PDB file of all heavy atoms in Angstrom:
ATOM      1  N   VAL A  71      31.389  27.707  27.617  1.00 94.00           N
ATOM      2  CA  VAL A  71      30.035  28.160  27.334  1.00 94.00           C
ATOM      3  C   VAL A  71      30.125  29.453  26.545  1.00 94.00           C
ATOM      4  O   VAL A  71      31.093  30.177  26.633  1.00 94.00           O
ATOM      5  CB  VAL A  71      29.202  28.465  28.612  1.00 94.00           C
ATOM      6  CG1 VAL A  71      28.690  27.194  29.225  1.00 94.00           C
ATOM      7  CG2 VAL A  71      29.964  29.260  29.596  1.00 94.00           C
ATOM      8  N   GLY A  72      29.100  29.727  25.818  1.00 91.00           N
ATOM      9  CA  GLY A  72      29.063  30.917  25.042  1.00 91.00           C
ATOM     10  C   GLY A  72      27.949  30.852  24.038  1.00 91.00           C
ATOM     11  O   GLY A  72      27.396  29.780  23.805  1.00 91.00           O
ATOM     12  N   PRO A  73      27.607  32.001  23.432  1.00 91.00           N
ATOM     13  CA  PRO A  73      26.488  31.996  22.486  1.00 91.00           C
ATOM     14  C   PRO A  73      26.794  31.168  21.244  1.00 91.00           C
ATOM     15  O   PRO A  73      27.943  30.880  20.955  1.00 91.00           O
ATOM     16  CB  PRO A  73      26.341  33.481  22.125  1.00 91.00           C
ATOM     17  CG  PRO A  73      27.659  34.081  22.453  1.00 91.00           C
ATOM     18  CD  PRO A  73      28.232  33.318  23.578  1.00 91.00           C
ATOM     19  N   SER A  74      25.725  30.827  20.523  1.00 92.00           N
ATOM     20  CA  SER A  74      25.880  30.012  19.323  1.00 92.00           C
ATOM     21  C   SER A  74      26.767  30.711  18.309  1.00 92.00           C
ATOM     22  O   SER A  74      26.660  31.921  18.114  1.00 92.00           O
ATOM     23  CB  SER A  74      24.501  29.756  18.738  1.00 92.00           C
ATOM     24  OG  SER A  74      24.587  28.835  17.690  1.00 92.00           O
ATOM     25  N   GLY A  75      27.644  29.954  17.713  1.00 92.00           N
ATOM     26  CA  GLY A  75      28.512  30.502  16.655  1.00 92.00           C
ATOM     27  C   GLY A  75      29.723  31.260  17.177  1.00 92.00           C
ATOM     28  O   GLY A  75      30.440  31.878  16.401  1.00 92.00           O
ATOM     29  N   CYS A  76      29.985  31.205  18.501  1.00 93.00           N
ATOM     30  CA  CYS A  76      31.099  31.990  19.035  1.00 93.00           C
ATOM     31  C   CYS A  76      32.416  31.280  18.833  1.00 93.00           C
ATOM     32  O   CYS A  76      33.475  31.852  19.038  1.00 93.00           O
ATOM     33  CB  CYS A  76      30.882  32.337  20.506  1.00 93.00           C
ATOM     34  SG  CYS A  76      31.066  30.923  21.588  1.00 93.00           S
ATOM     35  N   GLY A  77      32.393  30.006  18.450  1.00 94.00           N
ATOM     36  CA  GLY A  77      33.660  29.339  18.163  1.00 94.00           C
ATOM     37  C   GLY A  77      34.019  28.265  19.166  1.00 94.00           C
ATOM     38  O   GLY A  77      35.159  27.781  19.167  1.00 94.00           O
ATOM     39  N   LYS A  78      33.078  27.846  19.985  1.00 95.00           N
ATOM     40  CA  LYS A  78      33.364  26.785  20.984  1.00 95.00           C
ATOM     41  C   LYS A  78      33.781  25.487  20.291  1.00 95.00           C
ATOM     42  O   LYS A  78      34.796  24.895  20.623  1.00 95.00           O
ATOM     43  CB  LYS A  78      32.110  26.485  21.815  1.00 95.00           C
ATOM     44  CG  LYS A  78      31.509  27.674  22.499  1.00 95.00           C
ATOM     45  CD  LYS A  78      30.291  27.312  23.326  1.00 95.00           C
ATOM     46  CE  LYS A  78      29.071  26.872  22.507  1.00 95.00           C
ATOM     47  NZ  LYS A  78      28.488  27.947  21.706  1.00 95.00           N
ATOM     48  N   THR A  79      32.956  25.053  19.338  1.00 94.00           N
ATOM     49  CA  THR A  79      33.233  23.797  18.656  1.00 94.00           C
ATOM     50  C   THR A  79      34.570  23.884  17.923  1.00 94.00           C
ATOM     51  O   THR A  79      35.386  22.954  17.963  1.00 94.00           O
ATOM     52  CB  THR A  79      32.098  23.477  17.690  1.00 94.00           C
ATOM     53  OG1 THR A  79      30.888  23.355  18.442  1.00 94.00           O
ATOM     54  CG2 THR A  79      32.360  22.193  16.940  1.00 94.00           C
ATOM     55  N   THR A  80      34.763  24.983  17.240  1.00 95.00           N
ATOM     56  CA  THR A  80      36.012  25.140  16.485  1.00 95.00           C
ATOM     57  C   THR A  80      37.191  25.035  17.434  1.00 95.00           C
ATOM     58  O   THR A  80      38.166  24.350  17.164  1.00 95.00           O
ATOM     59  CB  THR A  80      36.001  26.496  15.768  1.00 95.00           C
ATOM     60  OG1 THR A  80      34.837  26.568  14.947  1.00 95.00           O
ATOM     61  CG2 THR A  80      37.233  26.658  14.899  1.00 95.00           C
ATOM     62  N   THR A  81      37.128  25.757  18.553  1.00 96.00           N
ATOM     63  CA  THR A  81      38.244  25.706  19.508  1.00 96.00           C
ATOM     64  C   THR A  81      38.477  24.278  19.952  1.00 96.00           C
ATOM     65  O   THR A  81      39.629  23.793  20.001  1.00 96.00           O
ATOM     66  CB  THR A  81      37.907  26.582  20.731  1.00 96.00           C
ATOM     67  OG1 THR A  81      37.564  27.897  20.277  1.00 96.00           O
ATOM     68  CG2 THR A  81      39.091  26.670  21.672  1.00 96.00           C
ATOM     69  N   MET A  82      37.400  23.585  20.295  1.00 95.00           N
ATOM     70  CA  MET A  82      37.568  22.230  20.798  1.00 95.00           C
ATOM     71  C   MET A  82      38.124  21.292  19.736  1.00 95.00           C
ATOM     72  O   MET A  82      39.009  20.475  20.008  1.00 95.00           O
ATOM     73  CB  MET A  82      36.237  21.703  21.296  1.00 95.00           C
ATOM     74  CG  MET A  82      36.421  20.493  22.184  1.00 95.00           C
ATOM     75  SD  MET A  82      34.832  19.798  22.581  1.00 95.00           S
ATOM     76  CE  MET A  82      34.625  18.781  21.166  1.00 95.00           C
ATOM     77  N   LYS A  83      37.609  21.414  18.520  1.00 94.00           N
ATOM     78  CA  LYS A  83      38.048  20.483  17.497  1.00 94.00           C
ATOM     79  C   LYS A  83      39.492  20.715  17.072  1.00 94.00           C
ATOM     80  O   LYS A  83      40.102  19.841  16.426  1.00 94.00           O
ATOM     81  CB  LYS A  83      37.146  20.635  16.269  1.00 94.00           C
ATOM     82  CG  LYS A  83      35.830  19.920  16.393  1.00 94.00           C
ATOM     83  CD  LYS A  83      35.144  19.941  15.058  1.00 94.00           C
ATOM     84  CE  LYS A  83      33.750  19.434  15.107  1.00 94.00           C
ATOM     85  NZ  LYS A  83      33.031  19.792  13.858  1.00 94.00           N
ATOM     86  N   MET A  84      40.041  21.877  17.421  1.00 95.00           N
ATOM     87  CA  MET A  84      41.450  22.062  17.092  1.00 95.00           C
ATOM     88  C   MET A  84      42.336  21.240  18.017  1.00 95.00           C
ATOM     89  O   MET A  84      43.465  20.891  17.682  1.00 95.00           O
ATOM     90  CB  MET A  84      41.811  23.553  17.146  1.00 95.00           C
ATOM     91  CG  MET A  84      41.288  24.302  15.929  1.00 95.00           C
ATOM     92  SD  MET A  84      41.936  25.936  15.736  1.00 95.00           S
ATOM     93  CE  MET A  84      41.043  26.815  17.001  1.00 95.00           C
ATOM     94  N   ILE A  85      41.787  20.893  19.194  1.00 95.00           N
ATOM     95  CA  ILE A  85      42.597  20.125  20.142  1.00 95.00           C
ATOM     96  C   ILE A  85      42.875  18.723  19.584  1.00 95.00           C
ATOM     97  O   ILE A  85      43.980  18.208  19.692  1.00 95.00           O
ATOM     98  CB  ILE A  85      41.913  20.033  21.504  1.00 95.00           C
ATOM     99  CG1 ILE A  85      41.806  21.442  22.114  1.00 95.00           C
ATOM    100  CG2 ILE A  85      42.661  19.091  22.457  1.00 95.00           C
ATOM    101  CD1 ILE A  85      41.000  21.504  23.394  1.00 95.00           C
ATOM    102  N   ASN A  86      41.860  18.110  18.943  1.00 92.00           N
ATOM    103  CA  ASN A  86      42.149  16.791  18.333  1.00 92.00           C
ATOM    104  C   ASN A  86      42.350  16.908  16.825  1.00 92.00           C
ATOM    105  O   ASN A  86      42.300  15.908  16.099  1.00 92.00           O
ATOM    106  CB  ASN A  86      41.107  15.754  18.696  1.00 92.00           C
ATOM    107  CG  ASN A  86      39.758  16.014  18.069  1.00 92.00           C
ATOM    108  OD1 ASN A  86      39.556  17.026  17.436  1.00 92.00           O
ATOM    109  ND2 ASN A  86      38.834  15.093  18.262  1.00 92.00           N
ATOM    110  N   ARG A  87      42.547  18.110  16.361  1.00 93.00           N
ATOM    111  CA  ARG A  87      42.887  18.379  14.960  1.00 93.00           C
ATOM    112  C   ARG A  87      41.861  17.910  13.969  1.00 93.00           C
ATOM    113  O   ARG A  87      42.181  17.611  12.837  1.00 93.00           O
ATOM    114  CB  ARG A  87      44.276  17.778  14.622  1.00 93.00           C
ATOM    115  CG  ARG A  87      45.394  18.559  15.209  1.00 93.00           C
ATOM    116  CD  ARG A  87      46.758  18.001  14.841  1.00 93.00           C
ATOM    117  NE  ARG A  87      47.006  18.120  13.411  1.00 93.00           N
ATOM    118  CZ  ARG A  87      48.069  17.576  12.813  1.00 93.00           C
ATOM    119  NH1 ARG A  87      48.931  16.862  13.549  1.00 93.00           N
ATOM    120  NH2 ARG A  87      48.279  17.689  11.539  1.00 93.00           N
ATOM    121  N   LEU A  88      40.605  17.831  14.414  1.00 91.00           N
ATOM    122  CA  LEU A  88      39.549  17.666  13.405  1.00 91.00           C
ATOM    123  C   LEU A  88      39.488  18.939  12.598  1.00 91.00           C
ATOM    124  O   LEU A  88      39.047  18.947  11.458  1.00 91.00           O
ATOM    125  CB  LEU A  88      38.200  17.396  14.075  1.00 91.00           C
ATOM    126  CG  LEU A  88      37.919  15.946  14.451  1.00 91.00           C
ATOM    127  CD1 LEU A  88      36.599  15.805  15.140  1.00 91.00           C
ATOM    128  CD2 LEU A  88      37.990  15.059  13.223  1.00 91.00           C
ATOM    129  N   ILE A  89      39.890  20.023  13.210  1.00 93.00           N
ATOM    130  CA  ILE A  89      40.094  21.268  12.502  1.00 93.00           C
ATOM    131  C   ILE A  89      41.535  21.695  12.725  1.00 93.00           C
ATOM    132  O   ILE A  89      42.023  21.655  13.860  1.00 93.00           O
ATOM    133  CB  ILE A  89      39.114  22.361  13.015  1.00 93.00           C
ATOM    134  CG1 ILE A  89      37.685  21.987  12.670  1.00 93.00           C
ATOM    135  CG2 ILE A  89      39.479  23.711  12.455  1.00 93.00           C
ATOM    136  CD1 ILE A  89      36.646  22.906  13.241  1.00 93.00           C
ATOM    137  N   GLU A  90      42.221  22.018  11.659  1.00 94.00           N
ATOM    138  CA  GLU A  90      43.626  22.401  11.778  1.00 94.00           C
ATOM    139  C   GLU A  90      43.715  23.880  12.126  1.00 94.00           C
ATOM    140  O   GLU A  90      43.122  24.709  11.431  1.00 94.00           O
ATOM    141  CB  GLU A  90      44.379  22.147  10.475  1.00 94.00           C
ATOM    142  CG  GLU A  90      44.424  20.687  10.052  1.00 94.00           C
ATOM    143  CD  GLU A  90      45.442  19.872  10.888  1.00 94.00           C
ATOM    144  OE1 GLU A  90      46.183  20.484  11.682  1.00 94.00           O
ATOM    145  OE2 GLU A  90      45.457  18.628  10.731  1.00 94.00           O
ATOM    146  N   PRO A  91      44.451  24.219  13.197  1.00 96.00           N
ATOM    147  CA  PRO A  91      44.617  25.638  13.518  1.00 96.00           C
ATOM    148  C   PRO A  91      45.348  26.367  12.392  1.00 96.00           C
ATOM    149  O   PRO A  91      46.188  25.777  11.745  1.00 96.00           O
ATOM    150  CB  PRO A  91      45.473  25.636  14.784  1.00 96.00           C
ATOM    151  CG  PRO A  91      45.645  24.225  15.168  1.00 96.00           C
ATOM    152  CD  PRO A  91      45.172  23.331  14.096  1.00 96.00           C
ATOM    153  N   THR A  92      44.983  27.625  12.198  1.00 96.00           N
ATOM    154  CA  THR A  92      45.709  28.435  11.216  1.00 96.00           C
ATOM    155  C   THR A  92      47.077  28.839  11.779  1.00 96.00           C
ATOM    156  O   THR A  92      48.068  28.829  11.083  1.00 96.00           O
ATOM    157  CB  THR A  92      44.890  29.696  10.860  1.00 96.00           C
ATOM    158  OG1 THR A  92      43.539  29.273  10.587  1.00 96.00           O
ATOM    159  CG2 THR A  92      45.470  30.376   9.648  1.00 96.00           C
ATOM    160  N   SER A  93      47.060  29.185  13.058  1.00 96.00           N
ATOM    161  CA  SER A  93      48.352  29.486  13.695  1.00 96.00           C
ATOM    162  C   SER A  93      48.204  29.229  15.184  1.00 96.00           C
ATOM    163  O   SER A  93      47.114  29.064  15.691  1.00 96.00           O
ATOM    164  CB  SER A  93      48.727  30.945  13.414  1.00 96.00           C
ATOM    165  OG  SER A  93      47.808  31.797  14.037  1.00 96.00           O
ATOM    166  N   GLY A  94      49.334  29.219  15.863  1.00 96.00           N
ATOM    167  CA  GLY A  94      49.333  28.987  17.286  1.00 96.00           C
ATOM    168  C   GLY A  94      49.796  27.567  17.592  1.00 96.00           C
ATOM    169  O   GLY A  94      50.133  26.806  16.692  1.00 96.00           O
ATOM    170  N   ARG A  95      49.825  27.272  18.919  1.00 96.00           N
ATOM    171  CA  ARG A  95      50.408  26.022  19.338  1.00 96.00           C
ATOM    172  C   ARG A  95      49.443  25.340  20.311  1.00 96.00           C
ATOM    173  O   ARG A  95      48.848  26.006  21.160  1.00 96.00           O
ATOM    174  CB  ARG A  95      51.720  26.320  20.050  1.00 96.00           C
ATOM    175  CG  ARG A  95      52.751  25.238  19.938  1.00 96.00           C
ATOM    176  CD  ARG A  95      54.049  25.795  20.478  1.00 96.00           C
ATOM    177  NE  ARG A  95      54.207  25.383  21.882  1.00 96.00           N
ATOM    178  CZ  ARG A  95      54.909  24.297  22.232  1.00 96.00           C
ATOM    179  NH1 ARG A  95      55.507  23.575  21.332  1.00 96.00           N
ATOM    180  NH2 ARG A  95      55.012  23.978  23.496  1.00 96.00           N
ATOM    181  N   ILE A  96      49.253  24.064  20.194  1.00 97.00           N
ATOM    182  CA  ILE A  96      48.422  23.330  21.134  1.00 97.00           C
ATOM    183  C   ILE A  96      49.241  22.137  21.636  1.00 97.00           C
ATOM    184  O   ILE A  96      49.816  21.397  20.843  1.00 97.00           O
ATOM    185  CB  ILE A  96      47.150  22.797  20.455  1.00 97.00           C
ATOM    186  CG1 ILE A  96      46.312  23.975  19.936  1.00 97.00           C
ATOM    187  CG2 ILE A  96      46.325  21.967  21.426  1.00 97.00           C
ATOM    188  CD1 ILE A  96      45.103  23.560  19.140  1.00 97.00           C
ATOM    189  N   THR A  97      49.327  22.015  22.945  1.00 96.00           N
ATOM    190  CA  THR A  97      49.983  20.824  23.473  1.00 96.00           C
ATOM    191  C   THR A  97      49.001  20.032  24.337  1.00 96.00           C
ATOM    192  O   THR A  97      48.166  20.600  25.019  1.00 96.00           O
ATOM    193  CB  THR A  97      51.204  21.190  24.330  1.00 96.00           C
ATOM    194  OG1 THR A  97      50.767  21.980  25.448  1.00 96.00           O
ATOM    195  CG2 THR A  97      52.238  21.949  23.535  1.00 96.00           C
ATOM    196  N   VAL A  98      49.132  18.711  24.260  1.00 96.00           N
ATOM    197  CA  VAL A  98      48.352  17.821  25.112  1.00 96.00           C
ATOM    198  C   VAL A  98      49.368  16.985  25.870  1.00 96.00           C
ATOM    199  O   VAL A  98      50.162  16.284  25.240  1.00 96.00           O
ATOM    200  CB  VAL A  98      47.405  16.938  24.298  1.00 96.00           C
ATOM    201  CG1 VAL A  98      46.775  15.894  25.180  1.00 96.00           C
ATOM    202  CG2 VAL A  98      46.348  17.768  23.592  1.00 96.00           C
ATOM    203  N   GLY A  99      49.362  17.100  27.196  1.00 94.00           N
ATOM    204  CA  GLY A  99      50.360  16.374  27.971  1.00 94.00           C
ATOM    205  C   GLY A  99      51.786  16.767  27.554  1.00 94.00           C
ATOM    206  O   GLY A  99      52.676  15.930  27.541  1.00 94.00           O
ATOM    207  N   GLY A 100      51.966  18.032  27.185  1.00 93.00           N
ATOM    208  CA  GLY A 100      53.302  18.497  26.833  1.00 93.00           C
ATOM    209  C   GLY A 100      53.706  18.236  25.408  1.00 93.00           C
ATOM    210  O   GLY A 100      54.693  18.767  24.922  1.00 93.00           O
ATOM    211  N   GLN A 101      52.874  17.424  24.666  1.00 94.00           N
ATOM    212  CA  GLN A 101      53.259  17.107  23.298  1.00 94.00           C
ATOM    213  C   GLN A 101      52.534  18.042  22.336  1.00 94.00           C
ATOM    214  O   GLN A 101      51.339  18.240  22.438  1.00 94.00           O
ATOM    215  CB  GLN A 101      52.895  15.675  22.965  1.00 94.00           C
ATOM    216  CG  GLN A 101      53.882  14.680  23.472  1.00 94.00           C
ATOM    217  CD  GLN A 101      53.565  13.317  22.940  1.00 94.00           C
ATOM    218  OE1 GLN A 101      52.506  12.773  23.221  1.00 94.00           O
ATOM    219  NE2 GLN A 101      54.483  12.736  22.158  1.00 94.00           N
ATOM    220  N   ASP A 102      53.286  18.574  21.390  1.00 95.00           N
ATOM    221  CA  ASP A 102      52.695  19.462  20.387  1.00 95.00           C
ATOM    222  C   ASP A 102      51.834  18.628  19.434  1.00 95.00           C
ATOM    223  O   ASP A 102      52.345  17.743  18.734  1.00 95.00           O
ATOM    224  CB  ASP A 102      53.848  20.135  19.611  1.00 95.00           C
ATOM    225  CG  ASP A 102      53.314  21.183  18.648  1.00 95.00           C
ATOM    226  OD1 ASP A 102      52.100  21.157  18.336  1.00 95.00           O
ATOM    227  OD2 ASP A 102      54.104  22.041  18.223  1.00 95.00           O
ATOM    228  N   VAL A 103      50.516  18.882  19.431  1.00 95.00           N
ATOM    229  CA  VAL A 103      49.649  18.037  18.623  1.00 95.00           C
ATOM    230  C   VAL A 103      49.940  18.146  17.127  1.00 95.00           C
ATOM    231  O   VAL A 103      49.702  17.212  16.370  1.00 95.00           O
ATOM    232  CB  VAL A 103      48.141  18.362  18.866  1.00 95.00           C
ATOM    233  CG1 VAL A 103      47.765  18.071  20.295  1.00 95.00           C
ATOM    234  CG2 VAL A 103      47.817  19.782  18.474  1.00 95.00           C
ATOM    235  N   LEU A 104      50.471  19.280  16.711  1.00 94.00           N
ATOM    236  CA  LEU A 104      50.723  19.445  15.293  1.00 94.00           C
ATOM    237  C   LEU A 104      51.896  18.568  14.832  1.00 94.00           C
ATOM    238  O   LEU A 104      52.100  18.386  13.651  1.00 94.00           O
ATOM    239  CB  LEU A 104      51.028  20.920  14.965  1.00 94.00           C
ATOM    240  CG  LEU A 104      49.795  21.819  15.142  1.00 94.00           C
ATOM    241  CD1 LEU A 104      50.161  23.282  14.962  1.00 94.00           C
ATOM    242  CD2 LEU A 104      48.689  21.421  14.149  1.00 94.00           C
ATOM    243  N   ARG A 105      52.632  18.053  15.783  1.00 94.00           N
ATOM    244  CA  ARG A 105      53.766  17.166  15.408  1.00 94.00           C
ATOM    245  C   ARG A 105      53.323  15.722  15.383  1.00 94.00           C
ATOM    246  O   ARG A 105      54.111  14.861  14.951  1.00 94.00           O
ATOM    247  CB  ARG A 105      54.902  17.310  16.421  1.00 94.00           C
ATOM    248  CG  ARG A 105      55.466  18.699  16.493  1.00 94.00           C
ATOM    249  CD  ARG A 105      56.953  18.669  16.080  1.00 94.00           C
ATOM    250  NE  ARG A 105      57.436  20.025  15.968  1.00 94.00           N
ATOM    251  CZ  ARG A 105      57.919  20.700  17.002  1.00 94.00           C
ATOM    252  NH1 ARG A 105      58.014  20.136  18.175  1.00 94.00           N
ATOM    253  NH2 ARG A 105      58.320  21.952  16.852  1.00 94.00           N
ATOM    254  N   LEU A 106      52.126  15.418  15.871  1.00 93.00           N
ATOM    255  CA  LEU A 106      51.713  14.019  15.944  1.00 93.00           C
ATOM    256  C   LEU A 106      50.885  13.641  14.716  1.00 93.00           C
ATOM    257  O   LEU A 106      50.331  14.502  14.036  1.00 93.00           O
ATOM    258  CB  LEU A 106      50.838  13.804  17.199  1.00 93.00           C
ATOM    259  CG  LEU A 106      51.521  14.086  18.527  1.00 93.00           C
ATOM    260  CD1 LEU A 106      50.488  13.989  19.644  1.00 93.00           C
ATOM    261  CD2 LEU A 106      52.652  13.096  18.771  1.00 93.00           C
TER     262      LEU A 106
END
Side-chain angles (χ1 to χ4, degrees):
Chain A
V71 281
S74 188
C76 72
K78 305 181 291 292
T79 299
T80 304
T81 306
M82 196 187 86
K83 281 189 187 167
M84 285 192 285
I85 296 173
N86 69 355
R87 286 182 65 188
L88 276 178
I89 293 175
E90 297 285 352
T92 312
S93 66
R95 210 170 98 95
I96 298 175
T97 61
V98 172
Q101 279 189 298
D102 187 342
V103 297
L104 292 173
R105 297 242 172 86
L106 299 173

